[in-house]
Amino acid sequence: MTTFATARDARRDVRQLDAARTTVRCAIYTRKSTEEGLNQEFNTLDAQRDAALAYIASQKAAGWVALPERYDDGGFTGGNIDRPALKRLLADIEAGKIDVVITYKLDRLSRSLLDFATLMATFEKHGVAFVSVTQQFASNTSMGKLTLHILMSFAQFEREVIAERTRDKIAATRKRGLFVTGKPVMGYDLAPAPPPFTGKRMVVNEREAEIVREIFRAYLEHKSLLKVVKLCEQRGWRTKAWAASSGRVMGGQPFAKPEISRLLRNALYVGKVPHHGQTYDGEHPAIVDADIFAAVQQQLKIASQAGGSGQTTSANPLRGLVRCKACSCSMNLSTVTRKGKKSSTTHRYYVCANAAKRGRAACPCPSLPAKDLEEFVLAQLKPLLTEDATLAAVVEEARQQLADAAQRRVEELAGLREQLAGQAGCVGKDSAKERERLKRQLKALETRIAADEAQQVDADEIAGAVESFDNLWAGMMPSEREQLMKAMVEKVEYDAATGAVTVVCRAGVGFGE
């Protein structure tokens, strides 16, 4: 049984461990939310460890021994469990190397009530005790459990308050026209503010600023994102590179359509600061003329409404199944709308993701008419469905998909219930809204689970539907067509070198043309 102990209670609580072993292996876990001060000779992680070592020394008579392995997470938030040292700790617990986990304070392990409960379940599963050196409570009593929930509720509340203050500070900074947080922007550098001001300010990087201006001019000239991408490739221009706090170099990649599109839409270049749909006058200098920026926005709007092509949310029965063999990447559905004198016509195509980002020169695969490809795949599948073995495989795959989806929804339901339970002690308008949102999600999910339980896959019904497959397909909703394809097809691969389309079914049978 997992035990929360203090200096007074720990000796009693660990006797069960002592009965089975003479040495109690203690792992010390330490954490600090920021990296500030960690480069000092003696930092807060060392102080936390020393306190835990002193506590272990007081339990020497009970056989407590500190493990030499250090589990230190410096610069990691307690709001989640995505921490390298914590992952190593959990791995060693599962390997049976640890008997007791010791932290300086409860919130060093986690500031999230849900995450803390998950960690405690893991500890309990492996018979590991947990001790907080500075907090006095024991979870094996009703009062101890109440104290635990109160402490965790306050820890979570503190984390949410810090997050809210951070958001408010960023909003206030943006309203004052400052942009000193987030990913660095091409054309600017962050430099210390001149005295008597503190903090950082955006200053122009002249070399990058000229590249930005050239990109704006090139788009107005060519009216094509892909042509601008090609220009960037020819001149060797890359996205802005910068060093993260960990020392890792980020950015510095070749430009693609998404990067060019975001750059052209960034109001920072005309001296504005965007924030949550609003723009404020910035303190930084503009590097793009306001008239040029306005003309670019107008052209982008025209391209998106008229002649442009892009991802679509229309019917897509082969979603996620079509692959480009040359690039080993997906082919996504795109649309092109052509306006006539009396009406507009929309054409659907499957386009290689690499070609869509970097232009036709990056991939030899042409765009495939969606209607022709979908009809070809259907033509290959219809004869298969008349074979008993294939029909059985499709039925089993459909049943497995339904079972997997039902299991995911049950797990999601359990997670929502835990979140709702974690909100029980929270007060305030935002907490009330969050509880209402969770309740709505719970109700919708419970309804969906009930519908899943009533849904069955019958082989005779499928066999009968195959006899009139064309009518069945025509009457299906787009989502139903997509589900059927996923149940039958593993992938559809197009080889531009030979012009062959290969359909690989989940039963392992392949076809080619």
Side-chain angles (χ1 to χ4, degrees):
M1 182 181 70
T2 303
T3 305
F4 303 89
T6 66
R8 183 181 59 197
D9 301 324
R11 286 188 294 272
R12 181 198 63 217
D13 294 334
V14 85
R15 284 171 189 161
Q16 295 176 349
L17 294 171
D18 292 340
R21 60 179 72 91
T22 57
T23 300
V24 180
R25 300 161 297 176
C26 303
I28 301 172
Y29 178 77
T30 64
R31 183 185 64 81
K32 186 178 187 296
S33 297
T34 66
E35 296 181 355
E36 182 180 358
L38 293 181
N39 58 351
Q40 297 176 359
E41 184 176 352
F42 185 83
N43 55 52
T44 183
L45 299 181
D46 298 319
Q48 293 177 40
R49 184 173 179 82
D50 281 357
L53 287 171
Y55 178 79
I56 293 172
S58 71
Q59 307 302 314
K60 184 177 181 180
W64 287 37
V65 175
L67 295 175
E69 179 75 20
R70 292 188 67 124
Y71 302 94
D72 300 332
D73 274 325
F76 290 91
T77 177
N80 58 58
I81 57 175
D82 187 17
R83 294 170 252 157
L86 182 58
K87 290 179 179 178
R88 286 192 290 108
L89 177 70
L90 294 174
D92 288 347
I93 287 174
E94 292 179 356
K97 299 179 180 179
I98 297 171
D99 301 322
V100 179
V101 174
I102 300 178
T103 64
Y104 180 70
K105 289 179 63 177
L106 187 68
D107 63 3
R108 296 304 88 194
L109 186 64
S110 177
R111 286 180 177 269
S112 166
L113 186 59
L114 180 60
D115 289 341
F116 191 86
T118 302
L119 291 172
M120 290 302 101
T122 302
F123 288 6
E124 183 174 359
K125 177 182 178 182
H126 297 280
V128 174
F130 174 70
V131 173
S132 173
V133 173
T134 60
Q135 292 162 314
Q136 297 186 9
F137 58 86
S139 68
N140 56 353
T141 66
S142 58
M143 183 59 69
K145 292 177 181 178
L146 175 61
T147 304
L148 171 63
H149 280 283
I150 290 174
L151 287 171
M152 284 308 304
S153 295
F154 273 102
Q156 181 165 329
F157 173 72
E158 180 184 359
R159 180 171 62 88
E160 292 173 353
V161 168
I162 292 173
E164 185 176 349
R165 287 174 179 169
T166 301
R167 289 192 296 268
D168 291 344
K169 181 179 178 181
I170 292 174
T173 301
R174 299 291 172 84
K175 289 178 181 179
R176 288 182 55 196
L178 300 175
F179 188 89
V180 295
T181 58
K183 186 170 67 174
V185 181
M186 184 79 171
Y188 294 96
D189 294 325
L190 289 178
F197 302 104
T198 59
K200 294 183 178 181
R201 295 292 189 274
M202 289 178 62
V203 296
V204 177
N205 181 316
E206 290 297 343
R207 183 186 66 83
E208 294 179 357
E210 186 54 37
I211 293 176
V212 171
R213 287 189 282 265
E214 283 294 325
I215 288 174
F216 271 83
R217 286 194 287 265
Y219 182 73
L220 280 182
E221 177 183 351
H222 300 293
K223 297 179 174 56
S224 167
L225 294 175
L226 282 177
K227 288 183 178 179
V228 178
V229 170
K230 186 176 181 180
L231 174 67
C232 292
E233 290 178 351
Q234 292 172 347
R235 300 191 180 182
W237 293 342
R238 289 178 171 257
T239 60
K240 187 174 183 69
W242 78 97
S245 57
S246 62
R248 180 184 175 188
V249 177
M250 310 292 288
Q253 301 299 315
F255 278 101
K257 276 180 64 177
E259 287 81 14
I260 295 295
S261 179
R262 285 194 294 269
L263 185 149
L264 293 173
R265 288 178 166 86
N266 197 338
L268 284 171
Y269 294 126
V270 287
K272 302 290 184 180
V273 175
H275 183 65
H276 288 182
Q278 301 291 327
T279 56
Y280 306 96
D281 292 333
E283 290 189 354
H284 63 282
I287 60 176
V288 174
D289 183 78
D291 292 338
I292 293 178
F293 185 83
V296 166
Q297 304 316 301
Q298 182 64 24
Q299 181 57 40
L300 288 169
K301 183 177 180 181
I302 293 172
S304 64
Q305 292 178 346
S309 64
Q311 299 302 314
T312 177
T313 56
S314 61
N316 184 6
L318 299 180
R319 187 190 310 274
L321 300 176
V322 188
R323 307 283 298 177
C324 170
K325 186 174 183 179
C327 297
S328 297
C329 66
S330 62
M331 296 184 70
N332 302 320
L333 188 67
S334 292
T335 60
V336 174
T337 302
R338 293 187 172 91
K339 288 188 175 181
K341 292 183 178 179
K342 295 184 179 180
S343 62
S344 299
T345 305
T346 299
H347 301 274
R348 299 184 304 127
Y349 298 92
Y350 286 97
V351 181
C352 172
N354 189 31
K357 288 182 178 180
R358 308 195 182 281
R360 291 295 176 194
C363 174
C365 179
S367 299
L368 296 179
K371 186 173 183 294
D372 294 344
L373 181 62
E374 292 160 6
E375 288 178 351
F376 170 74
V377 174
L378 280 175
Q380 306 304 308
L381 294 179
K382 281 192 288 186
L384 275 180
L385 287 172
T386 62
E387 300 178 6
D388 292 340
T390 303
L391 181 60
V394 170
V395 171
E396 180 59 31
E397 176 63 27
R399 286 173 175 167
Q400 187 60 47
Q401 285 193 21
L402 285 175
D404 292 344
Q407 180 61 31
R408 286 195 299 270
R409 292 190 181 101
V410 169
E411 292 173 356
E412 184 181 353
L413 184 67
L416 285 173
R417 284 173 174 166
E418 288 182 356
Q419 291 182 47
L420 189 59
Q423 288 285 329
C426 299
V427 296
K429 185 183 295 184
D430 291 341
S431 297
K433 288 182 178 179
E434 179 66 10
R435 283 194 293 271
E436 288 302 318
R437 183 186 68 82
L438 291 172
K439 288 178 181 178
R440 288 195 298 270
Q441 288 185 348
L442 273 173
K443 185 176 181 180
L445 197 55
E446 288 171 347
T447 302
R448 185 62 185 270
I449 290 174
D452 287 343
E453 293 174 350
Q455 190 173 4
Q456 301 292 331
V457 177
D458 187 272
D460 292 335
E461 289 183 3
I462 293 180
V466 169
E467 298 176 359
S468 56
F469 187 81
D470 292 335
N471 293 333
L472 172 69
W473 181 262
M476 280 184 173
M477 298 290 290
S479 60
E480 294 172 334
R481 293 182 179 182
E482 188 177 330
Q483 289 176 3
L484 178 62
M485 284 295 184
K486 279 185 167 54
M488 298 177 66
V489 178
E490 181 177 331
K491 68 176 178 179
V492 178
E493 188 174 69
Y494 177 64
D495 186 353
T498 62
V501 175
T502 302
V503 182
V504 180
C505 293
R506 291 192 178 276
V509 183
F511 301 89
E513 181 182 78

